[in-house]
Amino acid sequence: MLFRSLAQLAEIQPGLGTVMMEYANRFWSMYYAANSGNWDLAAYQMKEALEIQEVGETTRPARAPMLKAFESSFLDPLNNTINAKNFSAFQTAYNNTVGGCNGCHAASGFPYINYTLPSSPPNIP
């Protein structure tokens, strides 16, 4: 398929729902990596989560201010705990971040989207 305009290309970009599905996978993996002391993997998952958030900010610019505020309010402090390799602090920041996620969903008109940490770790290669 040959795109005839930037508008056509913009139409096929993923919605924020698609971005959030990857975000959730990164977040889940990050938790279990930190829980097992694999701080390098936790840091990698955070880096990837931030990159997928940038996709959301770019493809859904109306949501960018809220996403950026979420990053500075929740992801930056969570990232600091990863860098410190402190699971107790990580767990507190992670729980705060989940609360922030769910608050953002509710504020955006999606109160039925309620992230919870799955009860078992994913299969991470």
Side-chain angles (χ1 to χ4, degrees), residues 46-109:
M46 174 60 82
K47 178 184 83 63
E48 292 296 314
L50 291 169
E51 287 179 9
I52 196 66
Q53 179 167 308
E54 288 175 9
V55 171
E57 291 168 2
T58 301
T59 61
R60 299 297 178 254
R63 303 267 190 215
M66 189 175 281
L67 289 167
K68 289 178 188 293
F70 177 79
E71 182 176 345
S72 63
S73 296
F74 296 102
L75 297 180
D76 289 347
L78 182 61
N79 197 28
N80 291 339
T81 69
I82 292 170
N83 292 332
K85 300 178 179 168
N86 180 331
F87 185 73
S88 178
F90 172 88
Q91 193 162 28
T92 298
Y94 187 91
N95 291 337
N96 290 340
T97 303
V98 168
C101 287
N102 293 331
C104 187
H105 297 155
S108 298

Side-chain angles (χ1 to χ4, degrees), residues 13-68:
Q13 296 308 303
L16 205 52
T18 301
V19 167
M20 288 296 142
M21 292 300 292
E22 181 169 342
Y23 210 101
N25 287 332
R26 300 288 179 186
F27 217 64
W28 180 31
S29 298
M30 181 193 313
Y31 179 89
Y32 283 107
N35 189 37
S36 68
N38 189 343
W39 294 107
D40 289 340
L41 180 57
Y44 172 77
Q45 295 298 347
M46 174 60 82
K47 178 184 83 63
E48 292 296 314
L50 291 169
E51 287 179 9
I52 196 66
Q53 179 167 308
E54 288 175 9
V55 171
E57 291 168 2
T58 301
T59 61
R60 299 297 178 254
R63 303 267 190 215
M66 189 175 281
L67 289 167
K68 289 178 188 293

